[in-house]
Amino acid sequence: LGLSSVKLEVFVSVTVGAAALGAAASGGPMQRNGRKPIITVASMLYAMGAVVVALAPGFAVLVVGRVILGLGVGLSSMSIP
């Protein structure tokens, strides 16, 4: 891909940041709805993020896909024991 150091750092770090946000946001919905719906949403986010990353025409779309994947990671890390 020929990414610069800064772009590579953004590419990697955005997933971790989005995972932190997803984990923080999962508490209330999980208490109201239980784990299964949250796991379903996390699975859909994984699938959507993978498709976005695979079809990304440029760096910005690639980062968006990684954000979606990160949200899925955060949700699943809080809901799957």
Side-chain angles (χ1 to χ4, degrees):
L1 288 173
L3 298 176
S4 68
S5 295
V6 173
K7 284 185 176 182
L8 191 57
E9 289 174 19
V10 169
F11 175 74
V12 173
S13 300
V14 73
T15 305
V16 178
L21 292 175
S26 68
M30 193 165 40
Q31 286 182 343
R32 283 191 303 276
N33 304 319
R35 292 182 330 156
K36 287 184 183 180
I38 303 301
I39 293 170
T40 302
V41 170
S43 299
M44 290 189 307
L45 287 171
Y46 281 133
M48 288 187 326
V51 169
V52 171
V53 168
L55 300 176
F59 179 71
V61 178
L62 191 64
V63 169
V64 169
R66 294 284 289 194
V67 168
I68 295 169
L69 285 169
L71 291 172
V73 168
L75 289 176
S76 65
S77 69
M78 293 302 289
S79 60
I80 299 173

